[in-house]
Amino acid sequence: MSNDTPAHTKPEHADVTTSTPRTDDPRVERTRAAVIDAATALMMEDGPGAITHAHVAAAANVSQTTVYTHWPTREDLLRATIDSIRRHKPDTGELTGSLRDDLRAVLAPLITDLCDDQRASMIATMMQRALHDAEVVAVRDEFIREFTTVFDQIIHTAITNADLRAGVDTERALASIVGSFLFQRFMSSRGLDTEAADAVIDDFIELHAPA
């Protein structure tokens, strides 16, 4: 399928007037589910570049107007697609106060995704796409902020409990841990598995433990 938008369809940047779709009609919910299923399949197969109103409408066998009605912008469509793919949404209410257990729990979905060939490929494609796709960057940053809120609480609680030394920078901590995961998955012949991920977490805790 060509990436060029046919002359008779709405371009992705067009202003589209939409009405709020009903949410109490089971037919509407079935349509939304079918569209997101199609978008998810496109994302898993071809990455975020395939998530456009035209491509998703064709894959779901619905009109572009239908897709625009529910997701007026490409950011909306990307956000809904990625949200449907996520294994678990981070939640501060699930934290236990145990540094190792909380780090393992909040990082487990990422580790599982990186150990899955199809999902790891999708992650790599998203990182590459974010170099030049502002809409992917915007949605990525939303999910990172959401994740960082939970990660920050884990680190701050650990500092309060004297499990980590004072002054640990949460952004660098996250970069250190996730960067190690990405290196082992994409740039090391050793690869990444649960045991290797646990070792990264344990090394971080030991390195930043109080003197």
Side-chain angles (χ1 to χ4, degrees):
M1 182 182 294
S2 171
N3 289 333
D4 295 332
T5 303
H8 64 279
T9 60
K10 296 182 179 72
E12 287 299 309
H13 62 274
D15 291 333
V16 179
T17 301
T18 63
S19 58
T20 302
R22 290 179 57 183
T23 58
D24 59 345
D25 187 337
R27 293 171 299 178
V28 172
E29 290 307 308
R30 285 195 296 269
T31 297
R32 286 177 61 88
V35 171
I36 289 300
D37 285 347
T40 297
L42 285 172
M43 175 74 86
M44 297 295 289
E45 184 68 24
D46 299 321
I51 306 304
T52 68
H53 289 82
H55 289 166
V56 171
N61 196 28
V62 300
S63 70
Q64 288 191 56
T65 300
T66 296
V67 182
Y68 274 107
T69 297
H70 294 280
W71 301 278
T73 69
R74 180 167 177 255
E75 279 188 28
D76 295 330
L77 191 54
L78 275 167
R79 186 181 301 107
T81 303
I82 295 172
D83 200 45
S84 74
I85 292 173
R86 288 198 297 177
R87 297 181 187 273
H88 182 70
K89 182 176 181 178
D91 184 355
T92 56
E94 297 177 354
L95 300 180
T96 66
S98 166
L99 174 58
R100 188 174 190 275
D101 289 348
D102 286 342
L103 285 176
R104 290 185 66 187
V106 77
L107 292 164
L110 174 60
I111 295 166
T112 301
D113 283 350
L114 287 171
C115 291
D116 179 280
D117 287 344
Q118 187 178 29
R119 286 176 175 255
S121 177
M122 181 190 70
I123 290 170
T125 302
M126 287 191 66
M127 290 191 296
Q128 187 277 333
R129 186 79 187 186
L131 295 174
H132 55 80
D133 189 326
E135 290 161 318
V136 171
V137 170
V139 175
R140 177 205 64 187
D141 288 351
E142 285 183 25
F143 285 104
I144 289 178
R145 283 193 296 271
E146 183 181 86
F147 181 88
T148 302
T149 297
V150 179
F151 188 82
D152 283 350
Q153 183 163 325
I154 293 173
I155 298 302
H156 291 152
T157 298
I159 292 173
T160 299
N161 293 342
D163 294 323
L164 294 176
R165 67 171 182 265
V168 173
D169 183 280
T170 55
E171 185 173 350
R172 290 182 180 178
L174 183 58
S176 173
I177 295 172
V178 174
S180 295
F181 292 165
L182 295 175
F183 176 84
Q184 291 191 217
R185 180 62 177 92
F186 296 119
M187 289 175 276
S188 171
S189 59
R190 296 173 60 184
L192 181 71
D193 55 22
T194 302
E195 183 178 353
D198 283 346
V200 169
I201 293 171
D202 288 340
D203 286 348
F204 168 79
I205 294 172
E206 181 177 354
L207 181 64
H208 295 88

